[in-house]
Amino acid sequence: MAYRVPARDVRFVFKELAGLDEVLSLPGFEDVSADLIDAVLEENARFVEQVVAPLNRRGDTDPARWNNGAVVTTPGFREAFRQYANGGWQGLQHDPRWGGQGLPKMVAAAADESINAASLAFSLCPLLTDGVVEALAAVGSPAQRDRYIPALIEGRWTGTMNLTEPQAGSDLALVATRAARQPDGTYRLSGQKIFITYGEHDLAENIIHLVLARMPDAPPGVKGISLFIVPKFLVDDDGSLGARNDVWCASLEHKLGIHASPTAVLLYGGGKGQVGGDGAVGYLVGEAHHGLEYMFVMMNAARYAVGIQGIAVSERALQKAQAYAHERVQGEALGGSAGSVAIINHPDVQRMLLTMRALTEGARALAYVAAAELDRAHRHADPAARERSRRRHDYLVPVIKGFSTEVAVEVASLGIQVHGGAGYIEETGAAQYFRDARILPIYEGTTAIQANDFVGRKTLRDAAAVARDLMAAMHATAAELAAAHGDDHAAGLDLIGRQLRAAVDAYERATEFMLARAANNTRAVLFGSVPYLMLAGVALAGWQMARAALVCVRRLQVEEGDPFLRRKFATSVFYAAHVLPRTQALAAAIVEGD
């Protein structure tokens, strides 16, 4: 089944929920029009549908291969990456001073979703490169920015994030890679890094590794970690490539999914490079011992991007399951005797497909709304408005990462169920989405790590001020639903309003529990942190679906026969009836679990 970008839903969320018109009125976007964004989205859809999506299956069956330190990617990936780079897609959201296009984050989010849906394994390479660009733009020196960012945006070079090691896992206090200062001001790095996505490949001429390492005199723990640039090939003053650095791919991991994405074990040092000395040549980024703080710039960008990946895989699994349900003929229609019918006619198949659609569209709306908040945080003329949007965006990032990726696993699993026994057979392709999705709640910080951040830094630190701000907005939407009128939609609006109010009540109850227990029972707070994050995700996505329902009813008064609006409203009602009640169970688990 060919993948199709859900362009109508993307545009609906942009305009009706994320506030596209307001974003385009922000300082710096004067030359960006709605027509330009439409053209970008149309060209992006053409590229991913025709060039990237056809590679997805081949990447699963003919993955990246390691040979004596070199990695050859799936056939077709190199040419697709050249087209990706030449099309300017890597620079969509980045600053024009380094060759980027400077478009809103929400536009980049939509483009990222489509390429991730086309091939999750392919898209991981540009995802990490985006993170390197953002980190260097934020904390790199002017010389480092000028030397590395333009080539990264052009796609001539790619980037990676080197954090963990065999003994460390998620506990980066245990990082042991060493960085010894040299007389010329550079450093020599020695050690081993694992789980490095696209740590070695043949897509670009150079790879820029951002590496966490420890100087010999560094204090223990995370306060002694510094951040270094370690290029695969050293870069001369004129920007040309110099000697091969002493960083090597020792092996590739054999994974459950994303087979085409080379996950490398990297060795720093060993004397195999052309740079002489002991270790790989590296360059300190910012101040010594602030590496983890700097890396969080990249990690936050990556965490949001992984949330987008969850939405993308959900969309792809939904499209495949829906197509199969229309094609597969099995069983008679309920109460009928017309013979066998397509399984799309069976109530439970309809329930599963609606669950898949509701979760996917709810997560998408929440992610794009958060992207618009980041655009406001960067560009709004009012400092107070910038700060409010920044805090909202920061609050939502762990929710988008944790909720959307857990949703992806659920949606992909339901996709297999819709296929029945055929879904468990690799040849049908449904299983790939489940296998690919399973990494998403793990990397860039597990769901528990996101939940601990959500509770500790995003809720308790400000006494739930941002949470209460969002809850007030949710209550306002519930009030709007209660006052709305629509003869054909009154029952649906009433149901959505009732369920949204109940969900916000559960959200408030769980939040008050977290605040009350934080001072004297940290274990209870952390024990309930993942349910709390999922509760927030269900409620906040449900809020966006409720807002969508109000828009649909208003527009259907004029566009009565629009099938998209009718389906969107029906999906919003389904979300309220079948998904929002999860908040009650989650709140009970949090509070009673004490």
Side-chain angles (χ1 to χ4, degrees):
M1 183 213 74
Y3 166 67
R4 292 290 177 262
V5 172
R8 185 75 191 275
D9 196 53
V10 170
R11 288 181 169 86
F12 177 91
V13 175
F14 272 18
K15 183 172 179 59
E16 306 292 356
L17 304 180
L20 175 62
D21 292 343
E22 181 194 353
V23 169
L24 294 185
S25 70
L26 295 172
F29 290 145
E30 293 86 356
D31 297 330
V32 181
S33 66
D35 289 342
L36 173 62
I37 289 175
D38 280 343
V40 169
L41 294 177
E42 288 173 8
E43 179 58 23
N44 176 258
R46 184 204 64 77
F47 171 68
V48 301
E49 290 172 2
Q50 297 179 15
V51 178
V52 182
L55 297 172
N56 190 53
R57 181 66 176 160
R58 186 167 190 180
D60 192 51
T61 58
D62 190 2
R65 302 182 187 279
W66 180 92
N67 182 22
N68 195 30
V71 172
V72 178
T73 53
T74 297
F77 269 39
R78 288 187 68 182
E79 174 55 28
F81 189 78
R82 282 297 95 215
Q83 292 188 49
Y84 175 86
N86 293 338
W89 298 112
Q90 189 74 69
L92 211 60
Q93 63 181 312
H94 297 305
D95 199 311
R97 79 180 103 162
W98 294 303
Q101 298 179 45
L103 293 179
K105 174 69 174 180
M106 60 192 292
V107 178
D112 288 345
E113 182 194 328
S114 67
I115 196 169
N116 278 285
S119 173
L120 182 63
F122 177 88
S123 69
L124 281 163
C125 185
L127 181 155
L128 271 299
T129 301
D130 273 338
V132 173
V133 170
E134 292 202 25
L136 292 180
V139 298
S141 68
Q144 288 170 344
R145 295 170 186 169
D146 292 340
R147 176 165 292 193
Y148 297 106
I149 293 179
L152 290 165
I153 288 177
E154 289 172 21
R156 291 191 291 114
W157 304 346
T158 65
T160 74
M161 179 166 56
N162 284 231
L163 282 74
T164 196
E165 300 170 8
Q167 79 288 349
S170 297
D171 186 358
L172 296 180
L174 300 179
V175 162
T177 297
R178 309 300 288 176
R181 184 176 174 84
Q182 305 300 300
D184 64 358
T186 65
Y187 290 78
R188 290 285 181 157
L189 276 73
S190 56
Q192 181 182 13
K193 294 290 184 178
I194 61 171
F195 300 152
I196 310 306
T197 301
Y198 278 90
E200 178 60 35
H201 59 78
D202 59 357
L203 302 183
E205 65 184 33
N206 203 7
I207 304 172
I208 309 304
H209 304 291
L210 286 189
V211 186
L212 291 182
R214 192 181 299 279
M215 298 178 186
D217 59 346
V222 295
K223 294 182 178 180
I225 298 173
S226 299
L227 181 63
F228 299 88
I229 298 169
V230 183
K232 175 181 175 180
F233 289 94
L234 300 187
V235 181
D236 293 333
D237 291 340
D238 62 358
S240 62
L241 299 186
R244 177 69 160 86
N245 209 351
D246 196 3
V247 51
W248 299 92
C249 178
S251 63
L252 295 181
E253 304 291 358
H254 300 281
K255 308 185 295 293
L256 176 68
I258 53 169
H259 292 153
S261 171
T263 304
V265 175
L266 292 183
L267 299 180
Y268 289 83
K272 298 177 77 174
Q274 301 168 334
V275 294
D278 183 17
V281 176
Y283 309 92
L284 180 66
V285 178
E287 298 180 21
H289 315 321
H290 288 264
L292 192 59
E293 170 191 334
Y294 298 153
M295 189 64 89
F296 262 107
V297 176
M298 187 176 185
M299 288 171 66
N300 271 338
R303 287 172 175 180
Y304 177 88
V306 174
I308 292 292
Q309 289 184 322
I311 298 161
V313 176
S314 296
E315 177 65 34
R316 191 75 187 266
L318 167 64
Q319 290 190 19
K320 186 163 188 64
Q322 187 165 279
Y324 182 83
H326 280 284
E327 297 165 0
R328 174 62 169 163
V329 175
Q330 182 175 298
E332 294 184 352
L334 185 65
S337 57
S340 297
V341 296
I343 63 173
I344 190 71
N345 293 283
H346 300 322
D348 193 59
V349 172
Q350 294 172 350
R351 178 193 64 81
M352 288 189 288
L353 290 171
L354 277 166
T355 302
M356 296 170 74
R357 179 176 299 282
L359 289 170
T360 302
E361 292 186 1
R364 174 183 295 124
L366 183 61
Y368 290 6
V369 165
E373 293 287 9
L374 187 61
D375 287 323
R376 296 184 189 96
H378 285 162
R379 296 179 180 270
H380 203 286
D382 180 0
R386 287 200 303 271
E387 178 61 15
R388 184 187 188 207
S389 288
R390 182 195 65 77
R391 294 177 62 179
R392 277 193 169 191
H393 174 266
D394 289 351
Y395 179 88
L396 291 173
V397 166
V399 179
I400 290 162
K401 198 283 182 184
F403 173 71
S404 299
T405 58
E406 294 287 354
V407 158
V409 176
E410 179 180 351
V411 169
S413 180
L414 283 171
I416 292 176
Q417 192 73 9
V418 170
H419 283 76
Y424 203 67
I425 305 300
E426 287 289 351
E427 284 75 10
T428 63
Q432 181 187 349
Y433 303 125
F434 182 75
R435 290 187 287 100
D436 285 355
R438 196 58 196 85
I439 186 59
L440 300 178
I442 297 174
Y443 69 18
E444 304 305 338
T446 63
T447 305
I449 289 174
Q450 306 305 316
N452 290 348
D453 174 58
F454 182 58
V455 171
R457 293 187 179 90
K458 308 299 164 55
T459 303
L460 301 181
R461 183 171 289 181
D462 69 351
V466 177
R468 290 193 172 105
D469 176 43
L470 291 169
M471 291 171 196
M474 295 164 77
H475 277 303
T477 299
E480 192 176 351
L481 284 159
H485 299 285
D487 294 341
D488 295 336
H489 307 98
L493 290 171
D494 178 67
L495 185 150
I496 295 170
R498 286 187 286 107
Q499 294 290 7
L500 181 60
R501 284 192 296 275
V504 182
D505 289 344
Y507 192 5
E508 290 175 330
R509 188 165 70 255
T511 301
E512 293 306 320
F513 171 86
M514 291 294 184
L515 292 170
R517 290 293 186 274
N520 56 19
N521 197 343
T522 304
R523 180 170 292 276
V525 170
L526 295 181
F527 196 79
S529 63
V530 169
Y532 181 64
L533 180 145
M534 294 302 293
L535 189 162
V538 170
L540 290 163
W543 173 37
Q544 300 309 317
M545 295 300 285
R547 295 178 64 215
L550 286 166
V551 173
C552 289
V553 169
R554 184 182 71 245
R555 287 180 53 178
L556 281 167
Q557 293 174 358
V558 179
E559 307 165 65
E560 183 177 351
D562 189 322
F564 169 83
L565 294 174
R566 294 174 67 86
R567 187 186 70 187
K568 188 74 174 179
F569 180 78
T571 304
S572 300
V573 173
F574 181 90
Y575 192 108
H578 288 261
V579 182
L580 273 179
R582 297 182 185 184
T583 58
Q584 310 302 312
L586 289 164
I590 293 164
V591 175
E592 301 302 328
D594 190 23

